[in-house]
Amino acid sequence: MCIFCKIANKEIPSKIVYEDPYVIAFLDINPRSKGHTLVVPKKHYKTLDEMPDEELCHLIKGVKETIKILKKLNFDGYNIVNNNGKAAGQEIDHVHIHIIPRYEGDEAVKFGEVKDIDLDEVYKIIKS
Ligand code: AMP
Ligand code: ZN
């Protein structure tokens, strides 16, 4: 059983922020900002696209409920991050949504540099 399944089953302790029958949200042990939280479906799926639509609805609803709770931290904004696959930086193979509260002037999350990519070519592939 994977580590997030174990957390969902309470076999491994975590600092639970929000829980309902479908999701569990808990503080990330390596926080990138104050209140960095992971929202995880209780059922094991590796990547977001594997999830049935209904489960996805439960997951995003769980994200919203968790944000409402985190508002006590008085953040100024937040990033939602979701890594799928090793190449994208997914370390734990159980879907999880990062909620990263942001505070004016912090540098918790930075996107990479803009790349010189031919948009016409990419669009042609997507549309073919
Ligand atoms: P990712 O790179 O998107 O797969 O993120 C995995 C995240 O899980 C990392 O930010 C880790 O800090 C976090 N993490 C790993 N183990 C635990 C744990 N036992 N409790 C809370 N967060 C964890
Ligand atoms: Zn799992």
Side-chain angles (χ1 to χ4, degrees), residues 80-99:
I80 301 294
V81 177
N82 167 236
N83 301 322
N84 294 276
K86 214 173 172 195
Q90 183 178 16
E91 283 172 11
I92 311 262
D93 283 344
H94 181 135
V95 170
H96 48 283
I97 307 282
H98 296 257
I99 302 171

Side-chain angles (χ1 to χ4, degrees), residues 1-8 40-46 92-95:
M1 197 186 279
C2 92
I3 185 166
F4 286 175
C5 283
K6 285 182 181 163
I7 286 177
V40 170
K42 287 187 172 175
K43 262 181 89 174
H44 182 97
Y45 299 99
K46 189 178 174 201
I92 311 262
D93 283 344
H94 181 135
V95 170

